């Protein structure tokens, strides 16, 4: 259940959907955006996220992923269900592009492991494909290579019927070309004669009227040319005459054009008959492309948000690291006074802390934190990537209910607080263990004391129902409620008291202060007003708030220290692991060296014995001749030196191994001593905090040590305190006094028993080779038009347009283009041709054929 009905607009999800629609490639995908809905089925959510993950990977490794064939041809396909209907050329051309795109995508998502040897691919499942989720999406979708091949046989690259689409069409078009050429030749002969006789101006060219070539003539001279008047200009200063010499030829052309159209329709009907049996399958292909288009939009929006697709667990849980509100982050980047950085949030809701009570100063980020939870959880359960760190954990909720903003209604006679009460009533009625509720400024809108009491009772009911939630408040009783109840935890939006500005950081495990006095002083409220307000609420309240702020400050300091120590420990553990790995390698090498040394020693010993025996034998055989004896002894001495050298090497290796062992023992000893020092620091921190709590203040209930009678401290002067014991007032050394309850912690908010572990892993970034440039050129080429219309432009504007147009045509490798400049006085035509003559890549330019525009169009061959 999603509550209330305007939930999506309240949390900003309608803006997310608009961004999705903007990233879609076609109307197919945009329609799918409107079908996105909230789901609490874990398998469906994970499947949607896996589709996004796989398409993201596919777009990164595939340079030629098609993005220009997502065309909506459903209306044309529905039309041809009826017999004797046919697809027009443009519809057939769109069908071809769509089927080529669909076929290539099917081929990519059905790629097997062996087709991507050496590339990093997602894990394979039982399908054996690299993209199991997309493979399942494409299950049952057919591709149509025969239809594409047949369309390509009859349509050219511009989507027009080829001359050889049929023998009959080829003959008709050949006859048409011959007839039009003959008419043009005859007409230009008549025109030159008329120009020589002064009937028409020299710059006049034939033009088309009613499908016939005609000559523009002044009305006063129209009888000088025999023929049929087809039309008259709007001003009445020109009539258009078809000379009688070409009337029959023009009639023949019209007859051939009629036959041409009939043959074209016959060919289109023939291929439509081939396509008609597959209309249902073709509509399924359109549906598949719409799904891919939506997934592509999810990938695109995920990139823009630097989002990820966390694995969703089948249980309620929120453990987000570095969570960011995507709409606020985008808004901050567009600030007029310069972009600002959004502070990420670490948000945790678990079984033992399933309700988070956030307090802190106004404009400190409480509402942003609450809206971040609502928007990201809803996006996740709609199958969208969310901007959190990759090591975050996420779960599902069956119900999400919010109470944010002012729901005042004059029509329904509903006040602001009444609307809040209605929301509370609905939440208590519907809440269960699968519910996530989000309430902003809980209990506000009415008298604070009764509003806080009602809010506490409502919170108690939601807690008993096992619901999960996040609330924001300034009420102290709700902070006390969080401290005194299991499964409820305080959270504070941090504030820098020195800089007097919010830090927009969420610290879970501590209540926050509103810093009302500090903020009032910062904005310049008169000091007497601040002083009077402090007296009204009482010194005890002001002092306890200050103590709370000091404790929060100290805890933040030690938390920072702890994080640094933890980070250092991680670094030391990493270094230790590296040393241990090196030591293992050295030990292995040591065993190898010793084994090798033993083998060599045996070999040396054997060789020594041989040499000694040979020396003795030589001495005996030479009968102890001095020279031979000396030589034998020298050989033995040399051999002994070799043995001593080998022994020295072994001794060096042994010494190195002993040094490594000593280093390891010193590291272990250092690590143990460091752990003891950290424990000592924590103990000192605890003592410091305890000393603050044990300090006596005005108003404390105390007694003299060793006595039972209690009194209250009236004033404190240095080491002495003035205490009222019944009717007796006495001044006594503070060291002789003690708290009556001996537990001052009861006046101060309790602190969490343990800090959360927050080892945040450094994000891994994929090295992506951008293919944006190639995709831009391909997209530009598919949208490039071979005709440029510069009619109505000034000379410099027209030349500038032509310059860009010709540059694009050369870049796109287009062989021929046409420039429509009109006839008029011929000035624009002359300027354009002068420019074309200066371009080396222009091979030739001339007038278009008379039937297609004549002198009003320049045809350029590149």
């Amino acid at each position: 259940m999603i509550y209330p009905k305007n939930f999506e607009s309240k949390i900003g999800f309608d803006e997310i959907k608009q961004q999705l629609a903007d990233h879609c490639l076609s109307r197919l995908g945009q329609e799918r955006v409107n079908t996105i809905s909230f789901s609490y089925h874990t398998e469906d959510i994970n499947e949607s996220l896996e589709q996004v993950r796989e398409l993201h990977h596919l777009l990164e490794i595939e340079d030629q992923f098609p993005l220009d064939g997502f065309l909506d041809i459903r209306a044309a396909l529905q039309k041809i269900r009826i017999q004797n209907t046919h697809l027009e050329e443009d519809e057939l051309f769109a069908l071809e592009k769509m089927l080529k795109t669909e076929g290539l995508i099917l081929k990519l998502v059905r790629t097997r492991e062996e087709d991507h040897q050496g590339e990093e691919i997602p894990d394979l499942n039982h399908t054996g494909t690299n993209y199991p989720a997309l493979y399942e999406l494409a299950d049952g979708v057919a591709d149509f290579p025969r239809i594409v091949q047949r369309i390509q046989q009859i349509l050219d690259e511009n989507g027009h019927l080829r001359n050889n689409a049929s023998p009959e069409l080829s003959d008709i078009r050949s006859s048409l070309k011959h007839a039009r050429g003959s008419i043009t030749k005859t007409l230009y002969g008549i025109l030159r004669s008329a120009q020589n006789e002064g009937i028409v101006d020299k710059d006049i060219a034939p033009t088309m009227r009613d499908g016939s070539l005609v000559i523009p003539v002044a009305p006063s001279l129209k009888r000088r040319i025999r023929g049929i008047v087809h039309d008259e200009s709007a001003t009445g200063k020109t009539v258009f005459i078809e000379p009688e010499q070409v009337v029959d030829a023009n009639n023949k052309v019209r007859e051939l054009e009629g036959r041409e159209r009939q043959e074209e329709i016959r060919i289109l009907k023939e291929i439509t008959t081939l396509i008609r049996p597959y209309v249902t399958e073709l509509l399924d292909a359109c549906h598949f492309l719409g799904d891919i288009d939506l997934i592509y939009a999810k990938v695109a929006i995920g990139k823009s948000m630097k989002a990820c697709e966390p694995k969703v667990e089948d249980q309620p849980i929120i453990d987000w690291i570095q969570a960011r509100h995507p709409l606020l982050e985008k808004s901050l980047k567009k600030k007029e006074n310069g972009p600002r950085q959004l502070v990420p949030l670490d948000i945790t809701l678990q079984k033992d802390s399933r309700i988070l009570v956030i307090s802190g100063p106004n404009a400190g980020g409480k509402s942003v934190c609450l809206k971040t939870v609502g928007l990201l959880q809803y996006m996740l359960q709609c199958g969208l990537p969310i901007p959190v760190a990759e090591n975050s954990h996420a779960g599902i909720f069956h119900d999400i209910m919010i109470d944010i903003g002012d729901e005042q209604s004059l029509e329904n006679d509903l006040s602001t607080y009444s609307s809040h009460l209605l929301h509370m009533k609905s939440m208590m009625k519907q809440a269960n263990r699968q519910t996530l509720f989000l309430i902003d400024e809980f209990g506000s809108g009415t008298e604070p004391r009764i509003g806080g009491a009602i809010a506490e009772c409502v919170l108690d009911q939601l807690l008993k129902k096992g619901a999960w939630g996040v609330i924001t408040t300034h009420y102290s009783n709700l902070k006390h409620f969080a401290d005194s109840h299991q499964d409820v935890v305080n959270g504070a939006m941090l504030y820098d008291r020195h800089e007097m500005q919010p830090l927009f950081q969420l610290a879970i495990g501590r209540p926050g202060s509103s810093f009302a006095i500090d903020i009032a002083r910062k904005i310049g409220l008169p000091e007497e007003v601040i002083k009077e307000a402090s007296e009204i609420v009482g010194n005890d309240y002001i002092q306890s708030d200050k103590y709370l702020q000091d404790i929060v400050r100290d805890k933040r300091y030690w938390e920072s220290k702890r994080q640094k120590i933890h980070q250092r420990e991680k670094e030391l553990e990493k270094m230790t692991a590296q040393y241990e790995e090196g030591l293992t390698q050295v030990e292995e090498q040591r065993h190898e060296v010793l084994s090798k040394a033993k083998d060599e020693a045996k070999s040396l010993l054997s060789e020594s014995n041989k040499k000694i025996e040979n020396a003795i034998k030589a001495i005996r055989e030479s009968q102890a001749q001095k020279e031979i004896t000396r030589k034998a002894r020298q050989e033995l001495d040399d051999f002994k030196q070799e043995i001593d050298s080998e022994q020295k090497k072994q001794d060096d290796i042994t010494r190195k191994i002993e040094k490594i062992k000593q280093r390891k023992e010193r590291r272990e000893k250092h690590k143990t001593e460091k752990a003891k020092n950290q424990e000592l620091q924590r103990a000192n921190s605890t003592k410091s905090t305890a000393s603050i709590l044990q300090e006596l203040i005005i108003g404390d209930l105390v007694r003299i040590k060793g006595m039972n009678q209690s009194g209250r401290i009236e004033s404190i002067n240095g080491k002495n305190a003035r205490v009222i014991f019944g009717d007796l007032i006495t001044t006594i050394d503070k060291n002789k006094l003690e708290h009556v309850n001996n537990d001052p912690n009861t006046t101060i908010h309790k602190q969490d028993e343990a800090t959360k572990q927050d080892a945040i892993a450094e994000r891994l970034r994929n090295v992506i080779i951008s293919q944006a440039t190639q995709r831009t050129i391909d997209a530009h080429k598919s949208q490039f038009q071979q005709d440029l219309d510069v009619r109505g432009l000034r000379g410099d504007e027209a030349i500038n347009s032509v310059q860009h147009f010709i540059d694009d045509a050369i870049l796109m490798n287009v062989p021929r283009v046409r420039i429509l400049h009109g006839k008029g006085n011929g000035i624009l035509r002359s300027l354009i041709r002068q420019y074309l003559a200066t371009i080396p890549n222009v091979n030739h330019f001339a007038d278009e054929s008379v039937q297609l525009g004549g002198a009003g169009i320049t045809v350029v061959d590149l």
Side-chain angles (χ1 to χ4, degrees):
M1 174 185 176
I2 300 300
Y3 178 86
K5 293 182 179 178
N6 60 343
F7 178 92
E8 291 189 357
S9 62
K10 272 183 167 293
I11 64 170
F13 188 71
D14 50 351
E15 295 182 44
I16 298 294
K17 289 173 69 174
Q18 183 58 52
Q19 290 183 24
L20 270 176
D22 294 340
H23 281 103
C24 286
L25 301 169
S26 69
R27 191 169 61 184
L28 295 170
Q30 291 170 350
E31 290 182 2
R32 290 292 186 282
V33 171
N34 295 325
T35 66
I36 291 177
S37 60
F38 177 84
S39 172
Y40 51 81
H41 299 291
T42 310
E43 291 182 1
D44 294 343
I45 297 170
N46 280 323
E47 183 179 11
S48 296
L49 296 175
E50 184 62 24
Q51 289 170 355
V52 176
R53 200 177 293 115
E54 290 178 2
L55 186 60
H56 189 181
H57 181 270
L58 184 58
L59 289 169
E60 288 180 351
I61 67 171
E62 288 294 340
D63 302 341
Q64 303 300 325
F65 189 87
L67 297 175
D68 59 344
F70 288 78
L71 304 173
D72 186 6
I73 59 166
R74 291 173 296 177
L77 291 173
Q78 293 287 2
K79 177 185 69 175
I80 65 171
R81 287 182 184 271
I82 304 172
Q83 294 292 331
N84 295 323
T85 56
H86 65 272
L87 294 171
E88 296 295 342
E89 284 179 300
D90 58 337
E91 295 171 338
L92 199 61
F93 190 50
L95 176 62
E96 178 200 352
K97 292 181 69 175
M98 188 273 286
L99 292 181
K100 285 170 65 178
T101 297
E102 184 242 11
L104 182 54
I105 293 175
L106 287 176
K107 180 180 177 182
L108 291 174
V109 301
R110 291 169 177 169
T111 300
R112 301 285 172 167
E113 179 182 13
E114 58 269 15
D115 297 331
H116 276 289
Q117 292 296 332
E119 294 182 7
E120 183 184 352
I121 59 175
D123 294 335
L124 304 178
N125 72 344
H126 66 279
T127 64
T129 177
N130 302 340
Y131 308 103
L134 294 177
Y135 183 91
E136 291 295 331
L137 182 66
D139 186 31
V141 179
D143 56 347
F144 305 89
R146 288 182 60 249
I147 292 178
V148 172
Q149 183 182 15
R150 179 57 185 145
I151 295 174
Q152 290 176 337
Q153 288 174 352
I154 66 172
L155 292 184
D156 61 19
E157 60 275 8
N158 295 317
H160 301 302
L161 281 172
R162 299 179 184 272
N163 291 340
N164 61 352
S166 74
E168 179 68 18
L169 184 62
S170 179
D171 292 341
I172 293 173
R173 288 186 174 177
S174 178
S175 299
L176 264 173
K177 183 178 180 182
H178 178 74
R180 286 170 176 162
S182 177
I183 291 172
T184 301
K185 185 176 179 180
T186 302
L187 199 64
Y188 269 99
I190 296 171
L191 180 62
R192 281 193 295 272
S193 298
Q195 288 172 340
N196 292 334
E197 295 176 8
I199 300 174
V200 296
D201 295 335
K202 294 291 185 180
D203 59 347
I204 292 297
T207 186
M208 294 289 293
R209 283 293 186 276
D210 299 330
S212 300
L213 278 172
V214 295
I215 297 175
V217 181
S220 59
L221 301 173
K222 65 182 180 180
R223 298 187 182 279
R224 300 281 298 276
I225 297 178
R226 297 175 62 84
I228 301 172
V229 176
H230 275 266
D231 198 3
E232 183 177 347
S233 67
T235 60
K237 294 181 179 181
T238 305
V239 294
F240 301 93
I241 298 175
E242 179 186 9
E244 63 181 7
Q245 295 92 324
V246 297
V247 170
D248 291 340
N250 274 333
N251 290 338
K252 183 179 180 181
V253 167
R254 279 192 288 270
E255 179 185 347
L256 288 171
E257 288 175 343
R259 288 176 56 195
E260 178 189 33
R261 181 57 185 161
Q262 290 176 357
E263 180 62 14
E264 289 174 348
I265 292 174
R266 187 195 68 77
I267 296 170
L268 294 173
K269 283 185 175 181
E270 183 181 276
I271 193 169
T272 301
T273 302
L274 173 67
I275 295 170
R276 187 174 287 113
Y278 303 102
V279 167
T280 301
E281 290 81 1
L282 290 169
L283 289 172
D284 289 342
C286 291
H287 189 280
F288 171 72
L289 284 183
D291 290 337
I292 294 294
D293 194 4
L294 175 58
I295 300 171
Y296 172 81
K298 291 180 181 180
V299 172
I301 199 173
K303 285 183 178 180
S304 67
M305 295 177 181
K306 297 180 181 177
C308 70
E309 304 82 31
K311 190 73 174 177
V312 178
E313 302 176 18
D314 190 16
Q315 61 175 340
I317 183 175
I318 292 177
D319 186 8
W320 297 340
I321 300 170
Q322 299 286 295
R324 309 182 313 279
H325 194 292
L327 300 178
L328 178 59
E329 186 172 36
K330 184 178 180 181
S331 174
L332 290 176
K333 289 180 180 178
K334 294 181 178 180
K335 287 288 185 181
E336 294 181 358
N337 54 352
R340 293 170 55 192
Q341 194 71 24
L342 181 70
V343 179
L345 300 170
D346 294 344
I347 305 171
T348 303
L349 294 182
Q350 296 176 334
K351 289 183 178 179
D352 58 348
S353 55
R354 53 188 169 86
I355 298 180
L356 175 61
V357 179
I358 303 176
S359 51
N362 288 319
K366 299 190 301 295
S367 298
V368 170
C369 181
L370 184 134
K371 290 180 179 179
T372 300
V373 173
L375 178 58
L376 297 196
Q377 187 65 38
Y378 193 76
M379 287 174 61
L380 183 69
Q381 294 193 230
C382 287
L384 272 65
I386 58 174
V388 297
E390 292 184 355
N391 56 335
S392 300
H393 296 278
I396 61 167
F397 297 91
H398 290 202
D399 313 305
I400 303 181
M401 298 185 285
I402 63 170
D403 180 14
I404 301 174
D406 187 358
E407 293 288 341
Q408 183 174 240
S409 173
L410 296 178
E411 295 178 0
N412 299 327
D413 193 22
L414 199 64
S415 69
T416 299
Y417 187 64
S418 297
S419 69
H420 288 317
L421 289 177
L422 285 176
H423 289 319
M424 293 180 198
K425 175 184 174 183
S426 298
M427 289 180 183
M428 286 189 292
K429 181 179 180 181
Q430 300 293 335
N432 56 60
R433 296 184 181 274
Q434 300 289 335
T435 297
L436 174 66
F437 63 87
L438 308 167
I439 305 176
D440 193 23
E441 298 295 346
F442 196 24
S444 64
T446 188
E447 194 273 321
R449 183 169 297 180
I450 188 62
I454 292 176
E456 183 175 339
C457 295
V458 171
L459 184 58
D460 187 45
Q461 288 296 314
L462 294 172
L463 177 63
K464 290 177 180 177
K465 286 178 174 280
W468 300 57
V470 180
I471 69 169
T472 67
T473 186
H474 289 284
Y475 289 162
S476 297
N477 65 311
L478 296 182
K479 302 177 193 178
H480 285 292
F481 182 91
D483 273 339
S484 59
H485 288 75
Q486 289 186 347
D487 302 340
V488 188
V489 62
N490 271 306
M493 299 308 297
L494 301 183
Y495 190 84
D496 190 332
R497 291 177 61 192
H498 299 290
E499 298 293 332
M500 296 301 293
Q501 62 183 14
L503 299 176
F504 303 108
Q505 296 174 2
L506 173 64
I508 296 179
R510 69 193 71 166
S513 171
S514 297
F515 295 96
I517 297 296
D518 295 320
I519 294 174
R521 188 171 282 116
K522 176 187 176 183
I523 66 174
L525 211 62
E527 190 62 34
E528 58 269 20
V529 173
I530 297 175
K531 184 178 180 181
E532 186 176 351
S534 302
E535 292 174 354
I536 291 174
V537 299
N539 190 59
D540 288 350
Y541 180 85
I542 299 296
Q543 291 297 325
S544 65
D545 196 44
K546 285 184 178 180
Y547 286 145
L548 178 62
Q549 295 169 18
D550 291 338
I551 292 171
V552 169
R553 180 200 61 209
D554 291 343
K555 191 170 183 180
R556 187 166 70 247
Y557 171 79
W558 289 113
E559 182 71 14
S560 174
K561 286 287 187 182
R562 189 190 69 82
Q563 289 179 0
K564 291 179 180 178
I565 293 171
H566 186 67
Q567 184 65 29
R568 184 59 181 164
E569 286 177 347
K570 287 180 64 179
E571 294 174 359
L572 288 174
E573 288 174 2
K574 185 177 179 181
M575 292 173 63
T576 302
Q578 291 175 349
Y579 279 123
E580 289 178 349
E581 183 181 356
L583 183 60
T584 303
Q585 293 176 356
V586 170
E587 287 287 349
E588 292 175 354
Q589 292 174 4
R590 175 175 173 271
H591 289 304
E592 292 177 4
V593 169
L594 289 176
S595 177
K596 186 177 179 181
K598 288 179 182 179
D599 294 339
E600 290 178 353
K602 290 179 181 179
S603 177
L604 286 170
L605 183 59
S606 177
E607 189 175 351
S608 299
N609 290 331
K610 288 181 181 179
K611 285 185 177 289
I612 292 170
E613 289 174 359
N614 291 336
I616 294 172
K617 184 178 179 182
I619 292 171
R620 285 176 177 174
E621 290 177 351
S622 62
Q623 296 180 351
Q625 292 181 11
K626 289 183 178 181
E627 183 61 28
I628 295 175
T629 303
R630 187 190 63 76
K631 195 173 182 180
R633 289 188 178 187
Q634 182 64 41
E635 289 179 356
L636 288 174
D637 289 341
D638 292 343
F639 184 65
K640 182 181 178 182
Q641 288 178 3
E642 290 180 13
I643 294 175
D644 291 342
S645 177
E646 290 296 330
Q647 183 64 39
K648 188 177 181 181
K649 290 180 181 178
Q650 293 181 21
D651 292 343
D652 289 341
I653 292 174
T654 303
R655 281 195 298 272
K656 289 180 180 178
I657 292 173
E658 289 300 324
K659 286 182 179 180
I660 291 174
K661 286 184 177 179
Q662 291 172 6
R663 287 177 192 167
K664 183 179 178 182
E665 290 173 358
R666 285 198 299 269
R667 282 197 306 271
E668 292 296 332
K669 183 178 179 181
H670 175 74
K671 189 174 181 180
T672 303
E673 290 176 353
K674 187 162 188 178
K676 291 180 179 179
N677 291 336
Q678 289 174 7
E679 289 297 329
L680 185 60
Q681 287 179 354
R682 292 192 187 98
N684 291 337
S685 173
T686 304
K687 290 179 181 178
S688 174
T689 303
S691 66
I692 293 175
L693 297 177
Q694 293 289 348
E695 184 178 351
L696 297 175
I697 61 174
I698 296 173
D700 278 0
L701 194 63
V702 297
R703 67 186 173 198
I704 299 173
K705 293 179 181 178
M707 299 182 66
N708 294 327
Q709 186 175 3
S710 62
R712 192 169 300 276
I713 296 177
E714 181 186 38
S715 63
I716 295 176
N717 184 15
K719 295 182 179 180
N720 296 325
R722 183 179 175 88
V723 185
I724 302 174
F725 293 100
D727 296 330
L728 177 66
I729 300 177
T730 183
T731 300
I732 190 169
D733 190 335
K734 288 195 297 183
N735 293 328
K736 296 181 180 180
L737 298 176
E738 64 180 3
H739 286 93
V740 169
N741 55 12
N742 213 15
D743 185 13
N745 290 341
T746 56
T747 62
I748 305 296
H749 295 298
K750 73 171 185 178
Q751 304 299 308
D752 277 347
E753 295 177 356
T755 56
K756 307 287 183 183
Q757 290 188 349
D758 59 353
I760 301 175
E762 184 177 3
R763 275 191 268 176
L764 304 175
R765 299 185 181 276
N766 296 325
V767 180
I768 301 172
I769 302 175
S770 174
Q771 299 297 333
T773 303
Q774 185 61 40
R775 289 177 184 167
T776 302
I777 292 176
D778 292 342
H780 197 166
K781 189 170 183 177
S782 65
Q783 299 171 3
F784 182 75
Q785 301 293 329
Q786 292 178 264
D787 291 351
L788 174 66
D789 190 349
V790 296
R791 291 175 294 183
L793 299 181
R794 297 197 306 271
D796 55 344
E797 294 174 339
I799 293 299
N800 187 46
S801 297
V802 170
Q803 180 180 357
H804 290 295
F805 177 64
I806 295 298
D807 287 346
D808 287 348
I810 293 170
L811 179 63
M812 301 302 159
N813 201 23
V814 178
R816 170 176 285 192
V817 295
R818 303 196 319 157
I819 302 173
L820 286 69
H821 44 63
K823 297 172 184 176
N825 297 324
I827 297 173
L828 198 55
R829 173 173 174 266
S830 176
L831 285 172
I832 290 173
R833 295 195 174 190
Q834 288 176 13
Y835 169 72
L836 292 174
T838 65
I839 302 175
N841 296 77
V842 174
N843 291 334
H844 176 262
F845 55 84
D847 288 346
E848 178 61 280
S849 64
V850 177
Q851 293 89 342
L852 299 179
I857 301 174
T858 295
V859 179
V860 184
D861 291 324
L862 301 172

